[in-house]
Amino acid sequence: MLDLDLLPGEYAVCRLPAGSALPATLSRGPDDKSVVSVTWAPDETSIICPAGLVPPDASAETNWRCLRVVGPLDFALVGVLASLVGPLAEARVSVVTFSTYDTDYVLVPTVRLADARDALTRAGHRITE
């Protein structure tokens, strides 16, 4: 069983060309309740951010809600994401995941949030807002 926080507001999953610099709109970091993740990969720069911070030149998929596993998590833990993604897959809820040093995050489509909550609660997880 995991404790999850539902972060406020909607999120976007964005794509910029490979090698793109961090957009100025994200250089100050998120506020106290939101999270931003930037991944520079050989083929793209991916950004997960609050929907209101989407870089102007980015391709973006919006309307995601973000669940944060209450952490910090011990690196020896096994199956944390599997315990979340498995029930969501069974409920046919799409996900985007990312991890930080302390914890894991799962994004679900806003239109499927109720289904995601039901699936995760049935699996024994607790969700707070």
Side-chain angles (χ1 to χ4, degrees), residues 25 51 53 63 69 75 79 93 99 114:
T25 56
L53 296 178
N63 302 318
V69 178
F75 279 101
V93 175
S99 300

Side-chain angles (χ1 to χ4, degrees), residues 80-94:
V80 172
L81 280 176
S83 75
L84 301 171
V85 174
L88 293 171
E90 288 176 17
R92 305 191 54 78
V93 175
S94 301

Side-chain angles (χ1 to χ4, degrees), residues 12-17 20 23 45 47 49 53-61:
V13 179
C14 311
R15 182 187 192 283
L16 290 168
S20 294
T45 299
I47 300 170
C49 62
L53 296 178
V54 172
D57 297 335
S59 299
E61 294 291 328

Side-chain angles (χ1 to χ4, degrees), residues 4-6 65 67 87-88 91 93 108 112-129:
L4 306 165
D5 286 334
L6 177 63
R65 293 300 305 270
L67 295 157
L88 293 171
V93 175
V108 298
R112 300 295 311 276
L113 180 60
D115 297 327
R117 288 181 104 150
D118 290 345
L120 293 170
T121 301
R122 279 193 309 274
H125 303 299
R126 292 184 299 228
I127 301 171
T128 58
E129 291 188 47

Side-chain angles (χ1 to χ4, degrees), residues 96-118:
V96 173
T97 66
F98 65 98
S99 300
T100 65
Y101 187 91
D102 284 338
T103 195
D104 297 314
Y105 295 83
V106 177
L107 281 76
V108 298
T110 300
V111 297
R112 300 295 311 276
L113 180 60
D115 297 327
R117 288 181 104 150
D118 290 345

Side-chain angles (χ1 to χ4, degrees), residues 8-12 14 26 30-31 34-37 48-55:
E10 290 192 331
Y11 278 75
C14 311
L26 299 174
D31 64 33
S34 64
V35 64
V36 172
S37 179
I48 296 171
C49 62
L53 296 178
V54 172

